[in-house]
Amino acid sequence: AQTVTQSQPEMSVQEAETVTLSCTYDTSENNYYLFWYKQPPSRQMILVIRQEAYKQQNATENRFSVNFQKAAKSFSLKISDSQLGDTAMYFCALDRGSTLGRLYFGRGTQLTVWP
Amino acid sequence: DSGVTQTPKHLITATGQRVTLRCSPRSGDLSVYWYQQSLDQGLQFLIQYYNGEERAKGNILERFSAQQFPDLHSELNLSSLELGDSALYFCASSAKTGARNTGELFFGEGSRLTVL
């Protein structure tokens, strides 16, 4: 069974500061993909960043980066220089290599960026 | 704008009724996925279609069914509705399914279903 756990239901950070959201997962697959999706109040799911499990290098997208620890099955998201527009629910998700497109989501972390 | 269109955006209905949610995938995308987001269950996968054929089933109730048409749009049919079916239903699409697909999905804005 695949599971994704986000242990922080809510977090807050001041504008321009850095925040890290945690995610742990469990899968027996060797080839899989990990994602962070953002869901702002508009409710649309927006891809923030993705990581292929076979790549050791941590993914980076502008102010967003991940710390992928495969042995520990940990996949945290770091947001640098936080902006008010980063306020959203953030979901960690796992996609098994054998069933691409079927995502297993965590319960989410509500991030609030305040001025 | 993800390019995935879902209608209706909001829907209010009564228990026992039947509704149909519609999804138009991004142009050229062959795979369509349906997800349900509820307070109780979180986000969970319901079903996937690829080029008109069912490819994978998740936690989809027998009261629910879906199909993908030749023009690649998809419909999710929910029948004998119960209060617990109230949720946000997302459609997502991707270009392919299989080893070459990086797994990135493009989500629509969702259809908010309220069952009274």
Side-chain angles (χ1 to χ4, degrees):
Chain A
Q2 317 333 288
T3 59
V4 178
T5 303
Q6 294 179 249
S7 58
Q8 305 152 315
E10 297 179 356
M11 293 193 72
S12 63
V13 63
Q14 190 171 17
E15 198 174 9
E17 296 297 309
T18 295
V19 64
T20 299
L21 308 183
S22 301
C23 172
T24 58
Y25 62 92
D26 192 21
T27 180
S28 58
E29 303 263 336
N30 288 321
N31 181 30
Y32 53 89
Y33 301 85
L34 294 163
F35 303 85
W36 279 98
Y37 278 88
K38 165 184 175 181
Q39 187 178 36
S42 67
R43 80 189 186 195
Q44 183 159 13
M45 298 290 288
I46 302 167
L47 178 65
V48 175
I49 198 166
R50 73 168 171 261
Q51 174 82 41
E52 291 94 338
Y54 61 87
K55 288 187 178 179
Q56 292 187 344
Q57 185 173 5
N58 289 324
T60 299
E61 289 286 343
N62 300 314
R63 298 182 295 107
F64 300 88
S65 61
V66 298
N67 183 5
F68 174 46
Q69 301 290 326
K70 190 172 184 178
K73 295 184 177 177
S74 170
F75 183 62
S76 61
L77 174 70
K78 185 172 81 171
I79 306 175
S80 304
D81 186 25
S82 297
Q83 301 176 359
L84 298 179
D86 295 332
T87 293
M89 182 73 87
Y90 287 80
F91 292 95
C92 179
L94 166 71
D95 191 338
R96 298 187 302 171
S98 58
T99 56
L100 287 168
R102 176 178 178 170
L103 298 177
Y104 296 84
F105 285 92
R107 295 304 296 255
T109 296
Q110 175 63 48
L111 175 67
T112 301
V113 181
W114 47 282
Chain B
D1 183 5
S2 68
V4 178
T5 304
Q6 289 188 247
T7 57
K9 286 186 168 44
H10 301 276
L11 189 57
I12 301 173
T13 188
T15 55
Q17 295 298 304
R18 172 190 171 95
V19 299
T20 297
L21 309 181
R22 181 188 170 98
C23 170
S24 294
R26 291 190 320 157
S27 178
D29 281 359
L30 300 177
S31 278
V32 169
Y33 307 79
W34 287 97
Y35 284 82
Q36 179 195 57
Q37 184 178 27
S38 66
L39 288 175
D40 290 343
Q41 302 293 329
L43 266 162
Q44 59 176 357
F45 168 78
L46 295 179
I47 197 164
Q48 178 205 355
Y49 279 83
Y50 176 76
N51 202 20
E53 294 186 0
E54 181 185 304
R55 274 300 176 96
K57 260 188 176 181
N59 299 323
I60 187 167
L61 299 173
E62 286 190 6
R63 299 183 286 108
F64 296 0
S65 64
Q67 54 185 327
Q68 185 179 27
F69 295 86
D71 66 353
L72 301 178
H73 91 271
S74 178
E75 293 181 355
L76 179 66
N77 300 296
L78 315 175
S79 62
S80 303
L81 286 168
E82 302 175 359
L83 296 178
D85 297 328
S86 295
L88 187 57
Y89 291 86
F90 282 107
C91 171
S93 74
S94 67
K96 302 177 185 178
T97 186
R100 294 185 182 180
N101 188 347
T102 62
E104 181 173 353
L105 300 185
F106 297 87
F107 283 82
E109 294 184 352
S111 293
R112 169 76 68 188
L113 173 65
T114 302
V115 183
L116 301 176

